[in-house]
Structures are given as C-alpha cells and as structure tokens.
Amino acid sequence: MLLKREKYTEYHPNGEKWITGEIGLVAELWKHLYNYRTNFEGYEGKPICRIGLWHKYYDNGQLAWTIEYDEHGYPKSTEYPSFRMDGTPINY
C-alpha cells in the first residue's frame, strides 16, 4: 500500500531539469509487493517506488527518454521513446 504520493524532480548543476516523475512511499508491511528503491533524496532508507510517467532530460533541456510505471513500480512496457542530445530519435 502506498502511504504517500508526490511529484519528484532532480536538476542538472546548470539548473535544467534532469528527471521528473512521481514517487510513492511504500508501507514496510507491503514493500515485498513493490519494485522499490531506497536511495531517493529526502527518503534515504525508506522504500519508495516510481509511479506514473517519468522523463529524463539532457543538460540542454532536450528529452532523453520517457518510461511509464504502474502502481507497483514496474515499467508498463519494454518499449519507450529515447532521443539523442540533438533531438533525433533512437530506434532499436
């Protein structure tokens, strides 16, 4: 069970967005059901899972990739859009 949901943002040293998404604080009793992490700033040692849409950006503001996570922190798809620093798509 998620105890708390909130928006999450990290920034590059130059002030541009680096990563954006939503995190959920997972109850200790239920953490075995989630794909959780314990290294989010401000939540060190607590189980946190990524939920919803996550975007990563290059330091010039260009979108690098997008991944969508389900309510338990697992990616919804194995395919997601990725881009080079100049904005051209990366096709696998």
Side-chain angles (χ1 to χ4, degrees), residues 2 17 30-31 34 41 48 54 56 67 69 80-81 89:
L2 295 178
K17 284 184 184 176
W30 301 101
K31 72 180 184 180
Y34 291 82
E41 189 174 322
I48 300 289
W54 277 69
K56 183 172 183 180
I67 299 178
Y69 293 94
Y80 51 90

Side-chain angles (χ1 to χ4, degrees), residues 36-66:
Y36 68 91
R37 307 285 184 265
T38 56
N39 60 344
F40 280 94
E41 189 174 322
Y43 292 97
E44 291 84 357
K46 296 179 182 172
I48 300 289
C49 71
R50 297 171 285 196
I51 49 180
L53 275 176
W54 277 69
H55 305 285
K56 183 172 183 180
Y57 302 90
Y58 291 107
D59 60 358
N60 66 356
Q62 169 61 43
L63 180 66
W65 52 253
T66 299

Side-chain angles (χ1 to χ4, degrees), residues 58 62-66 80-84 87-92:
Y58 291 107
Q62 169 61 43
L63 180 66
W65 52 253
T66 299
Y80 51 90
S82 298
F83 302 93
R84 292 182 183 84
T88 57
I90 299 172
N91 298 316
Y92 297 102

Side-chain angles (χ1 to χ4, degrees), residues 1-4 24-37 47-49 71-74:
M1 167 172 33
L2 295 178
L3 300 175
K4 181 179 175 184
L25 178 61
V26 179
E28 284 289 329
L29 181 63
W30 301 101
K31 72 180 184 180
H32 66 281
L33 299 174
Y34 291 82
N35 183 19
Y36 68 91
R37 307 285 184 265
I48 300 289
C49 71
E71 289 297 309
H72 288 93
Y74 293 98

